[in-house]
Amino acid sequence: MDSSNDEALDIIVTNVVATFRTRCHLNLRTIALEGTNVIYKPEVGKVLMKLRKPMITASIWSSGKIICTGATSEDEAKLGARRLARCLQKLGFKVRFSAFKVVNVLAVCSMPFAVHLIDFTKNNRPIASYEPELHPAATYRIKNLKATIQVFSTGSLTVTGPNVQNVATAVEQVYPLLFECQKPLCK
Amino acid sequence: MSFRVCRTCGGADIDVDQARGSAVCTGCGSVLEDNIIVSEVQFVEGSGGVSSAVGQFVSADGPVKAPLLGSGFHTSVGKESRAQTLQSGKRQIQQLGSQLQLNQHCLDTAFNFFKMVVSKHLTRGRKTEHVIAACLYLVCRTEGTPHMLLDLSDLLQVNVYILGKTFLLLARELCINAPAIDPCLYIPRFAHMLEFGVKTHEVSMTALRLVQRMKRDWMHTGRRPSGLCGAALLVAARMHKFRRTVKDVISVVKVCQTTLRKRLTEFEDTPTSQLTIDEFMRVDLEQECDPPSFIAAQNKAKMQQLEQELARKLDEVEGEISCYKDEIETELEKSRPKLRGIYAAYTKEIDPEDVEVLSSTSEPEEREVEDAELQAATQHLTQDFLCQVIQEEEEEGRANKTGDGEQEVGPEKEGVGPQRQVAPLAVILGKLPSSLDLQQTFQTFSKSETCHKPDDEDSESGELDLEGIDDQEIEKYILNDNEVQVKTELWMKQNAEYLKEQQEKEERIRKEKEQGTYKEKKKKKSKRKEQIEALTAGEAIEKMLEKKKISSKINYDVLRDLNSRGTGSGGGSSPSRASSDPPDPNNTNTTTRKRLNRRRRKKTSEANQDLVTNASIMGKRFRRLISSTSKKKKTAPQVETSISMTTKPTETAAEPSPEPEPDVSSTLSAAPPPVEEEEEEEEVEEECVSALKLVGDYGCEAEEEDVF
């Protein structure tokens, strides 16, 4: 993370999205009526259930597939998912916890310097793209890591990737490139 | 053109007249050639006296084959699909490009881009409009014209971001690196639109200087260039004493009022804004600023820090005050008369309780949980070690010893240790019935796997690991009965409409069921095409009809007899009913074989499929034909076959068979596609009497009517 730097860069994971299956059919109406903190959407066919302890929101489908969002770490996501499964078990469904997978991790990071986006884009032509008319940040996509980094002119980054390790690696990779096109801050 | 010598006089001097197309010998005057092919442009007088050149335009990138002569179809008849796409694309590019006032060179480049896009199959799944707009914008960017994506989206009435998405994708796929947008490009265009008259150039120059200053002040990264231009132009206009209001500017520049105001305030914050007009034109400040968003963030951070400091100070002050308070109270107590005896005990008890109650109401719960987690952590640490030890034991010994060991460890671990390598294994084993065999298998199972044990085993067994889950807390998530009732009522009220619809649907279905007209509408299932395995077409139909019982009014036995007798007749093609007799398949085979021999053009597979599908239609045909509504003929050819079939069985079978049967057989044989009919007709012609010959095609219909 801090390969060519004295200070340490804080990568803060803000969101982890995970999916898992309960391997049994769920009756959404029962869940909707007997659970607290649930929102039932019959048109779409899913139930939104929000847990407080790990602050997560889960979308539950009747097929038994569940998507868990809002966790701040991979372990938390797993814990939340298990809690959710336990809750469903108590409601009376034969829930089995299977196929848990972390699908997406979103992290933010801040550089101690501002970045000159136009230079950055010029140096990294096909990989980076910057379209000020559409979005204020330059997008840098790393294919082998499957990670996307959005660089803002203030030096803050938003990184998305399939797991936390990839995200960290992505930041490490992009740091030297950003360092080249930096603009030292006055104050 | 070199001509040979004149035939008559031998002179080599030959005069060729291009206009008349004749070659004449100047010596003797004999005409050597009369109708030379002329390559001149000829003119034809059209209606109204307009003369136009004769000929057709052949485009350079058109189809390879020659265009049609005669009445030139100017539309794309006979052209291949790719050429059509390119042509329509070109047309659209021209249209859109002319609206943007792009020159021909740009349009050609755009068309080249479009060709590349088409060859890479990127147009699939995208509207051609979007693709063309993206190509045009690509050209604008590479050429550096002052066209914005917003302009294109205005023309097409499409969301800018959708166009942007397409544009980004194309740029990436075509590996075209469009240079970044410079706000300076837009200034002359906007200045012109703001109508500064003679001074347009001066105002533009001032605005340009302003924009460059903004760039150096880091106002332009991450912002739409049009916003910056707007702000710069506004200031420049005011500097040159033109009264352009914010509204004028935004109508030209296409940004929001708020954006413009914001840019102006940001510019105000820079030191450049403090200069006078003359100073600005002459002097260029060296100092650069930080980006405004960064400054905003810094301000926020400062505010937070200030708040924290204030809070701390408040705490300190509070602390001081509470000290004083305590001191005062102790003094007061000393001065108070003391209670003796029983009451002394009471005074001591109350205070500490109050204090505790006040300060930590919410803590106990948290503490409990925290304690539980701590416990879990400590236990995990100790038992991880234990697990490793156990694993070693497992590797050494087998069922007997380790079984006991696991059982001991299992209950200990239940519901406590988090998922590490062996813990879940032990937990699961502890929960499972204590059959040694199972344990053995799990041991081997665990050995063969590596670190992925926890997850795999979870998924294998599907067991839910209950560690770290506080059941009590989860109970809170579930409502009790009263709450359930209330919620049910509320939910029912909310979703009354939806429920009504569902009920109505169910009622409808019930009614239809009662009436017997209920058709289960299988929405997603297509026509069920049963995969019937059969060697020949005839067999396939046989099998199909075995499954489908079409009509109760048919005497299947007679049919079968018919089939057995009808050799080489279309009756052979008619599949036998219900249980096909042994001779019939043979017959069908022979007939179909004959048919296959005779088949000229069409493929057998086609015929088979057609047979199967047509057989399904046959059911309907039956009823119609039997109920003597023969006039409703779906296709004449099929009717023909029916006739040809009627002739055959009547002759070959020599039965005055009841009419339905031959009709049935004929309709059965009517299933095959027209091609077979041809062959059947041939068969008819060969074998049967010349009924068909006499009557001809349409006569068959008449015959059929007679039959009915």
Side-chain angles (χ1 to χ4, degrees), chain A residues 32 34-36 38 40 52-53 78 82-83 86 90 96-97 125 130-131 133 136 154 183 185-186, chain B residues 137 141 177 181 218 222 224 289-290 293-294 455 461-462 465-467 471 475 477 479 487 491:
Chain A
E34 293 181 18
T36 43
V38 287
Y40 183 25
R52 274 194 215 107
K53 189 57 189 300
K78 186 142 199 185
R82 284 194 288 121
R83 283 233 167 132
R86 182 77 185 122
K90 290 215 158 175
R96 306 176 106 226
F97 188 75
R125 246 314 145 69
Y130 172 49
E131 213 44 53
E133 289 190 71
T154 53
K183 188 237 166 214
L185 295 168
C186 312
Chain B
Y137 187 60
R141 282 287 280 266
N177 298 319
I181 306 174
W218 281 78
R224 288 228 178 119
C289 297
D290 292 330
S293 45
F294 185 79
D455 299 335
S461 60
D465 221 350
L466 288 175
E467 358 163 329
D471 271 2
E475 293 273 334
Y477 283 115
L479 304 168
K487 191 159 184 184
W491 192 86

Side-chain angles (χ1 to χ4, degrees), chain A residues 23 29 31-38 40 42-43 49-54 78-79 81-91 95-99 111 114-118 122 125-126 129-137 141 153-154 181-187, chain B residues 137 141 148-150 160-161 164 167-168 172 177-181 186 218 220-225 288-291 293-295 298 369 373 419 455 458-471 473-479 484 487-488 491-492 495 498-499:
Chain A
R23 290 237 176 269
R29 205 182 272 201
I31 301 174
L33 294 176
E34 293 181 18
T36 43
N37 312 321
V38 287
Y40 183 25
E43 317 91 38
M49 188 160 186
K50 303 198 188 200
L51 258 59
R52 274 194 215 107
K53 189 57 189 300
K78 186 142 199 185
L79 180 69
R82 284 194 288 121
R83 283 233 167 132
L84 196 67
R86 182 77 185 122
C87 188
L88 291 174
Q89 235 175 28
K90 290 215 158 175
L91 282 172
V95 163
R96 306 176 106 226
F97 188 75
S98 75
M111 299 282 136
V115 178
H116 200 243
L117 293 179
I118 297 178
K122 269 192 214 162
R125 246 314 145 69
S129 84
Y130 172 49
E131 213 44 53
E133 289 190 71
L134 295 173
H135 190 60
R141 286 175 211 272
S153 60
T154 53
C181 323
Q182 70 173 292
K183 188 237 166 214
L185 295 168
C186 312
K187 293 165 191 177
Chain B
Y137 187 60
R141 282 287 280 266
M148 298 192 289
L149 201 57
L150 265 174
V160 159
Y161 295 105
F167 163 71
L168 281 174
R172 212 185 325 142
N177 298 319
I181 306 174
Y186 294 135
W218 281 78
H220 89 297
T221 6
R223 269 88 185 278
R224 288 228 178 119
E288 293 182 358
C289 297
D290 292 330
S293 45
F294 185 79
I295 295 174
Q298 271 196 336
V369 180
E373 286 179 350
Q419 284 169 322
D455 299 335
D458 262 351
S459 60
E460 294 267 346
S461 60
E463 290 282 338
L464 181 60
D465 221 350
L466 288 175
E467 358 163 329
I469 294 175
D470 191 6
D471 271 2
E473 203 190 321
I474 297 219
E475 293 273 334
K476 289 183 202 168
Y477 283 115
I478 301 173
L479 304 168
V484 169
K487 191 159 184 184
T488 319
W491 192 86
M492 290 295 179
N495 296 303
Y498 178 74
L499 289 170

